[in-house]
Amino acid sequence: MARLAQERAHTFINELEDFAEEHDLTIDDLTDSNSYEWARHFDESYPNEHCAIFHYRNIEGEAIHVDVYEYRFESATLYFEKAIDD
C-alpha cells in the first residue's frame, strides 16, 4: 500500500513539474484557491485531463488580466494565478 502511494506521489510530482514548465508557472504563482472565482471569466480551456484554465480579462472594467490554472490530480487540487500583460 505504501509503495502504491509513493508511486502516485511520484507520478503527480513529475506531471506537475512538466505542466508548470510547459506553461511557465513557478512556485510564486501557486495560491490557496481561485481568488478571482467571484468574477466572470472570459473563456476557459483544458490543456489536459488534469487542468482547467480560467481566463479572466478586464476584471471590473480595469485592465486586469489573469489566467487561473486549476490543476487536479486524484484528490489534490492546486491553483496557479498568472497575470497576463495587455
Side-chain angles (χ1 to χ4, degrees):
M1 186 80 152
R3 176 111 173 120
L4 180 59
Q6 185 179 16
E7 288 175 9
R8 285 181 176 165
H10 186 67
T11 298
F12 172 72
I13 290 169
N14 284 338
E15 288 185 14
L16 182 60
E17 285 177 339
D18 292 345
F19 178 82
E21 184 177 325
E22 179 183 340
H23 293 278
D24 196 29
L25 300 171
T26 68
I27 194 74
D28 294 332
D29 300 321
L30 191 60
T31 66
D32 293 339
S33 63
N34 179 352
S35 61
Y36 295 95
E37 192 171 45
W38 57 269
R40 185 175 178 202
H41 59 279
F42 169 74
D43 196 11
E44 57 191 67
S45 56
Y46 302 90
N48 66 40
E49 65 183 291
H50 301 293
C51 184
I53 305 172
F54 300 96
H55 308 278
Y56 296 93
R57 300 297 182 265
N58 295 316
I59 297 173
E60 297 221 338
E62 302 293 325
I64 299 171
H65 313 298
V66 177
D67 283 344
V68 176
Y69 297 75
E70 182 180 278
Y71 190 89
R72 294 181 182 193
F73 188 87
E74 297 197 15
S75 62
T77 303
L78 299 175
Y79 298 90
F80 297 87
E81 293 181 359
K82 185 104 173 145
I84 306 299
D85 294 331
D86 287 341

